[in-house]
């Protein structure tokens, strides 16, 4: 009995360590029509969900989202250029399969993108 309790406790600790070590990234993109991406978190200024193609870009994606929501043309018309994470990003509203969403694309040709969805 004592050995099984120790095993269960060790398993619980292992799960907790993995949960804390893994970045907050989940499959993302169905609501935008984008290819598979990851959910990086929520933009504090707008409350919108922030996504990008790769989990390693989540820090940048959150910075881009923050810059965009601070200068965003809420009418959804035209393109807004934002400077974030050392790059220039062009952002604008897109029509998704369910709802409109905001998309920012890095202008230096890296093909990195950020989406903001409700």
């Amino acid at each position: 009995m004592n050995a099984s309790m120790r095993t269960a406790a060790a398993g619980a600790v292992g799960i907790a360590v993995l949960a804390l070590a893994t970045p907050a990234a989940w499959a993302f993109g169905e609501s935008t029509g984008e290819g598979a991406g990851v959910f990086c978190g929520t933009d504090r200024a707008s409350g919108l969900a922030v996504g990008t193609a790769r989990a390693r870009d989540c820090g940048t994606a959150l910075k881009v989202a923050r810059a965009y929501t601070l200068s965003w043309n809420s009418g959804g018309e035209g393109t807004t250029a934002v400077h974030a994470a050392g790059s220039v990003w062009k952002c604008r509203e897109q029509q998704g399969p369910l709802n409109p969403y905001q998309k920012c694309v890095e202008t230096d040709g890296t093909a990195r993108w950020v989406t903001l969805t409700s």
Side-chain angles (χ1 to χ4, degrees), residues 26-96:
W26 298 278
F28 187 74
E30 291 178 12
S31 64
T32 64
E34 293 291 330
V38 293
F39 169 72
C40 297
T42 304
D43 176 60
R44 291 182 188 174
S46 66
L48 296 174
V50 178
T52 191
R54 299 177 304 249
R56 69 176 182 229
D57 291 334
C58 279
T60 297
L62 291 167
K63 290 175 185 172
V64 171
R66 173 83 175 139
Y68 181 46
T69 56
L70 291 175
S71 64
W72 174 11
N73 171 5
S74 61
E77 297 173 13
T79 300
T80 301
V82 298
H83 298 269
S87 295
V88 177
W89 299 76
K90 296 285 185 171
C91 306
R92 70 177 304 143
E93 186 173 285
Q94 305 287 320
Q95 185 58 49

Side-chain angles (χ1 to χ4, degrees), residues 14-30:
I15 291 170
V17 168
L18 285 175
L20 294 174
T22 304
W26 298 278
F28 187 74
E30 291 178 12

Side-chain angles (χ1 to χ4, degrees), residues 1-11:
M1 181 95 139
N2 211 3
S4 64
M5 289 177 73
R6 280 192 299 253
T7 302

